[in-house]
Amino acid sequence: MIIVLLGPPGSGKGTQAKVLSEKKGWPQLSTGDMLRGAISQGTKLGLEAKTFMDKGELVPDSVVIGLIQERTSATDCQNGYILDGFPRTIAQAQALDELLLSQNKKISGCLYFKIDDQNLVTRLSGRRTCLDCGAMYHITAHLPQKEGVCDSCKGSQLVQRDDDQPEVIQNRLKVYHDQTSPLVDYYDQNSEMVTIDASLTLEEVKNAVWDKLGSW
Ligand code: AP5
């Protein structure tokens, strides 16, 4: 299965992608994670991407399309994958369609995580991420079992992302509304799209995703 997770920053795409990936074995292809990986390795691509990410702007289409073309050709993607944070513009969606067409594949469905902006600010400003394994927590909605210690890898570096600062969050939301939200209509018209109420609890959203997947 090839599944697109679409939704604003903080809507829970990454959280649910990890759950799905663990349960189903499909790799989670997060362009945000790939770009952060390039930044931490200090590559040329990472340095270029950082100038956009620090401001909450989108990284140029050509860069992320290249990352996805390369990543989807890996052997672990042959039986499907979960796209988390890609596509984010109409040009990216069209590039993905062309790529899949050339491989005789198609998107199985799109899960649209719908939620209002106020909720997103609370989620993003309270998010903490494990520096060692990438597991995600929230200061009220999802605490680790032991304070300051990651449940998954027992690492003790639970940090706030650079782009989860208030002014950057506001710009990310604006960029979402201007450049990414047109994809809701795009997938509604061109693929099977299901809307998930992403304002529900983690468990409720997980169950809703699960229900929808069963029918694809
Ligand atoms: P990226 O890393 O993709 O960030 P994003 O889309 O802004 O999404 P987030 O990771 O912030 O949120 P999420 O929806 O995954 O929510 P999460 O599960 O973490 O992109 C970062 C940057 O990279 C972009 O700004 C851009 O510059 C660049 N980039 C990436 N892809 C690109 C592309 N394709 N094109 C161009 N540029 C690109 O949850 C958030 C918090 O809420 C967590 O703390 C979590 O614990 C909590 N939470 C989750 N679900 C619930 C729930 N149901 N109830 C309560 N709390 C919840």
Side-chain angles (χ1 to χ4, degrees), residues 174-188:
K174 180 177 181 310
V175 166
Y176 171 79
H177 290 297
D178 291 348
Q179 299 185 52
T180 307
S181 65
L183 289 178
V184 176
D185 279 345
Y186 183 90
Y187 280 114
D188 200 23

Side-chain angles (χ1 to χ4, degrees), residues 8-185:
S11 55
K13 305 179 299 292
T15 301
Q16 298 301 333
K18 282 188 172 47
V19 174
L20 271 180
S21 180
E22 274 164 27
K23 292 233 176 199
K24 292 285 193 178
W26 304 315
Q28 171 195 6
L29 273 48
S30 158
T31 36
D33 286 348
M34 292 177 205
L35 293 167
R36 280 184 289 278
I39 291 173
S40 62
Q41 287 163 17
T43 64
K44 187 167 169 260
L45 186 150
L47 292 177
E48 186 195 346
K50 191 173 179 346
T51 61
F52 295 94
M53 294 169 78
D54 282 350
K55 291 183 280 190
E57 300 290 334
L58 293 184
V59 172
D61 287 337
S62 57
V63 173
V64 285
I65 290 168
L67 286 176
I68 286 294
Q69 281 171 337
E70 190 183 333
R71 181 65 185 89
T72 54
S73 64
T75 46
D76 66 334
C77 287
Q78 298 320 303
N79 293 326
Y81 44 85
I82 305 157
L83 288 165
D84 164 15
F86 180 95
R88 251 175 156 102
T89 62
I90 296 284
Q92 291 178 23
Q94 289 169 337
L96 176 65
D97 287 345
E98 281 167 27
L99 175 71
L100 293 176
L101 190 64
S102 73
Q103 299 169 341
N104 241 338
K105 292 181 178 168
K106 64 179 196 135
I107 291 165
S108 314
C110 169
L111 295 172
Y112 164 44
F113 286 61
K114 190 174 179 190
I115 181 168
D116 64 64
D117 283 6
Q118 186 47 48
N119 235 323
L120 296 172
V121 173
T122 310
R123 286 197 185 174
L124 291 171
S125 51
R127 171 167 55 189
R128 297 294 179 269
T129 308
C130 174
L131 257 192
D132 297 319
C133 74
M136 255 168 322
Y137 300 92
H138 189 272
I139 55 172
T140 54
H142 181 200
L143 288 159
Q145 285 166 6
K146 187 172 173 203
E147 196 186 334
V149 179
C150 176
D151 294 342
S152 305
C153 73
K154 308 298 173 206
S156 58
Q157 299 188 82
L158 303 186
V159 299
Q160 188 167 31
R161 252 169 57 176
D162 289 345
D163 60 351
D164 281 345
Q165 303 303 325
E167 61 287 357
V168 186
I169 291 175
Q170 289 306 332
N171 196 40
R172 285 164 65 201
L173 293 176
K174 180 177 181 310
V175 166
Y176 171 79
H177 290 297
D178 291 348
Q179 299 185 52
T180 307
S181 65
L183 289 178
V184 176
D185 279 345

